[in-house]
Amino acid sequence: STARSAGEIRNFMHKLLDDDAAKSQGLAGWWTLEEGKGNFAMDVTEARFRSRLVGMKGKGMKWVESESIASGLEPPTPAWRERSVCAVELRRVRLAVRGRKLLEPVPCSAGCGDSIVR
């Protein structure tokens, strides 16, 4: 994960990352905000964070449809592509990511220098 300055965020906020660039840069989370309704946004990285949108209710904020989607163009982002993927398959992928993390060796808590699998 890389800390970004306000200027860097402004320069890149409307640029689309391809999946490989996102992974190679160690992107911790990527919310494309394509849901169009509700109080949650889904992260499209392997972590699949489900994040509550704060300030949506009672603050005058609302979802609006982008001009490209209104004109029938599909955005080329992973979240959009996943709409046609089986929900069971998406759940399987998320569980596999969690499972891989559990198989990562961790240092022994007794301080012997060995590593153990949780």
Side-chain angles (χ1 to χ4, degrees):
S1 182
T2 304
R4 307 277 184 206
S5 70
E8 288 175 309
I9 292 170
R10 238 185 333 278
N11 289 336
F12 288 100
M13 69 187 216
H14 295 291
K15 292 190 170 121
L16 183 63
L17 290 173
D18 63 42
D19 295 341
D20 293 332
K23 288 178 185 174
S24 69
Q25 294 180 26
L27 194 63
W30 181 12
W31 294 266
T32 58
L33 302 174
E34 294 176 330
E35 288 74 11
K37 63 182 177 185
N39 296 321
F40 292 92
M42 299 303 292
D43 166 32
V44 296
T45 65
E46 285 185 355
R48 302 286 190 229
F49 296 112
R50 180 174 182 250
S51 303
R52 180 181 297 277
L53 300 172
V54 178
M56 290 292 286
K57 290 187 178 183
K59 304 283 194 249
M61 296 174 66
K62 64 179 182 173
W63 287 102
V64 293
E65 189 171 302
S66 77
E67 292 174 14
S68 61
I69 293 175
S71 65
L73 296 175
E74 293 184 2
T77 55
W80 187 269
R81 289 193 303 264
E82 285 181 359
R83 290 175 192 232
S84 62
V85 177
C86 171
V88 173
E89 176 63 14
L90 289 175
R91 174 90 172 132
R92 186 195 65 75
V93 168
R94 291 178 191 123
L95 289 171
V97 168
R98 271 193 227 149
R100 281 193 297 275
K101 287 181 182 178
L102 291 175
L103 293 175
E104 292 175 3
V106 295
C108 175
S109 59
C112 68
D114 284 339
S115 296
I116 59 171
V117 176
R118 297 182 228 179

